Amino acid sequence: MTFDATSSVTLKIWDRATLHHTLDAAVSDLSARHNTTTCQIDVTCSGPNTFTLSVRDRALANA
């Protein structure tokens, strides 16, 4: 399951062996699409085997 919004992506990752690789790739892809650094991407565990990646609000990050 993948839910893709303008500034966030939700992934359901079943294979624990690929967990880190999948999240790293998703962070890199999302940061490239939004022309920002990877440290501006938040990763949260939003359920069992489910992770939501979102672009941090730049206005809040610079405050």
Side-chain angles (χ1 to χ4, degrees):
M1 171 180 90
T2 302
F3 175 73
D4 192 354
T6 303
S7 60
S8 67
V9 177
T10 300
L11 302 169
K12 185 93 169 179
I13 304 172
W14 295 102
D15 185 4
R16 288 189 170 269
T18 63
L19 178 72
H20 293 285
H21 173 73
T22 303
L23 287 175
D24 285 343
V27 166
S28 294
D29 181 59
L30 192 60
S31 68
R33 283 194 281 155
H34 288 276
N35 194 28
T36 189
T37 62
T38 56
C39 62
Q40 290 292 341
I41 307 298
D42 289 330
V43 178
T44 57
C45 184
S46 52
N49 301 321
T50 306
F51 300 87
T52 300
L53 290 74
S54 56
V55 179
R56 190 176 307 143
D57 186 2
R58 291 183 189 195
L60 293 175
N62 294 330

